[in-house]
Amino acid sequence: MKLPIFIADAFTAKAFRGNPAAVCLLENKLDEDMHQKIAREMNLSETAFIRKLNPSDSFSQKNMNSTLTFVTLSGELKARKAEDGIILDLPLYPAHPQDRHEVKDLIKTAIGDTLVQDIRYSPDTRKLLVRLSDTYDRSFLENLKVNTQDLLQVENTGKVRGLILTLKGKPSGQTHAFDFYSRYFAPWVGVAEDPVTGSAHTVLSSYWSQELGKKDMRAFQCSCRGGELEISLRPDGRVDIRGGAAVVVEGTLTA
């Protein structure tokens, strides 16, 4: 069995940055075991399988639709092409104040004595948002050592499945100033640190929009690969997240 496969770096215009994902094109449905085997072989945090819904669909024919709808395990995902990238249409999830005592061991294990300014929790996504003190800058967040291995030993009862560390951006006269920075960790689902995380920004967008009083923002995820996101909150309670994409591998997988 030979399958077309690509590796694309998302939320960047440059190769070897942003969030790498494998994309496999399927003429016919594969069983879940084969999905898992291919994903393990790719060794990336995301591997997507795109299958035709109708026999007449063609991967080689140019798609004239401005918006594509993907049926995923998490529901429908809509993406539309823009002049300078791709826009994802995502839900917006509120994050509520979190009792510090309930999560103090988890935070202490992750970041030690790092000063924390705010803690929020998103029950919809089971993500814990930890805002670091405004006294820190981007370089501090980038260089912060996060102890993800020991997080699995902290009593959690399944409440937290992802940890967002975030920091307010600094005013700057530069063209590419950012409103906020973040990093994302999910060892509970096998991802020590995700390079760039669209789902985390469904929570971050809600939080920072309220904090900054803005609907349109620019964000940077401070992983070692780094990724830029442009955010626009919509009146219908959803959020548009725009990012670039660079295809770095195109080939055939033999299974």
Side-chain angles (χ1 to χ4, degrees):
M1 180 172 58
K2 295 184 180 296
L3 305 172
I5 196 160
F6 305 82
I7 295 178
D9 293 339
F11 301 112
T12 179
K14 298 179 180 179
F16 315 123
R17 293 183 62 79
N19 194 29
V23 181
C24 191
L25 305 183
L26 305 178
E27 293 283 346
N28 301 297
K29 185 175 181 179
L30 297 179
D31 59 41
E32 182 60 24
D33 182 61
M34 183 58 72
H35 283 175
Q36 294 297 329
K37 287 178 178 178
I38 293 173
R40 283 193 293 269
E41 189 73 14
M42 293 299 99
N43 196 30
L44 298 170
S45 57
E46 285 91 15
T47 300
F49 299 89
I50 299 179
R51 180 170 58 89
K52 296 179 180 181
L53 293 180
N54 303 298
S56 60
D57 292 339
S58 172
F59 289 129
S60 59
Q61 183 178 352
K62 184 176 181 180
N63 195 303
M64 302 305 293
N65 293 333
S66 60
T67 301
L68 295 179
T69 301
F70 299 91
V71 180
T72 75
L73 294 177
S74 301
E76 286 192 354
L77 168 65
K78 293 185 178 181
R80 64 184 188 273
K81 190 173 182 180
E83 288 185 5
D84 53 351
I86 296 172
I87 300 174
L88 299 179
D89 171 358
L90 297 171
L92 195 63
Y93 293 116
H96 308 289
Q98 168 64 47
D99 184 344
R100 294 189 178 216
H101 181 75
E102 289 184 9
V103 293
K104 64 181 179 65
D105 291 339
L106 188 151
I107 294 174
K108 177 76 172 179
T109 299
I111 59 175
D113 295 324
T114 301
L115 298 178
V116 172
Q117 186 154 328
D118 196 7
I119 305 173
R120 302 292 180 99
Y121 179 71
S122 165
D124 298 294
T125 65
R126 291 196 287 178
K127 289 176 172 45
L128 182 70
L129 183 154
V130 178
R131 175 180 175 180
L132 305 186
S133 169
D134 288 350
T135 59
Y136 297 129
D137 59 12
R138 170 178 167 174
S139 63
F140 178 87
L141 179 58
E142 288 176 330
N143 296 314
L144 182 63
K145 304 298 182 184
V146 179
N147 186 354
T148 57
Q149 188 62 38
D150 288 350
L151 282 176
L152 298 175
Q153 310 306 318
V154 179
E155 185 176 352
N156 180 23
T157 66
K159 177 178 179 177
V160 176
R161 304 291 283 174
L163 172 64
I164 302 169
L165 300 183
T166 188
L167 184 67
K168 183 180 179 181
K170 301 290 185 182
S172 172
Q174 300 177 8
T175 303
H176 298 293
F178 295 100
D179 293 287
F180 64 89
Y181 304 105
S182 68
R183 290 175 67 185
Y184 181 70
F185 309 87
W188 301 276
V189 295
V191 180
E193 179 171 6
D194 196 44
V196 193
T197 319
S199 64
H201 282 80
T202 63
V203 179
L204 284 161
S205 299
S206 175
Y207 174 78
W208 282 112
S209 176
Q210 293 180 0
E211 291 295 304
L212 301 175
K214 300 177 72 172
K215 298 292 185 183
D216 299 310
M217 297 171 286
R218 297 186 73 250
F220 187 84
Q221 192 156 331
C222 298
S223 66
C224 61
R225 294 177 64 98
E228 299 183 13
L229 307 93
E230 294 186 14
I231 293 163
S232 181
L233 275 69
R234 299 182 355 202
D236 62 358
R238 296 179 68 83
V239 60
D240 285 339
I241 299 180
R242 181 200 310 260
V247 176
V248 295
V249 173
E250 181 176 352
T252 302
L253 183 145
T254 303

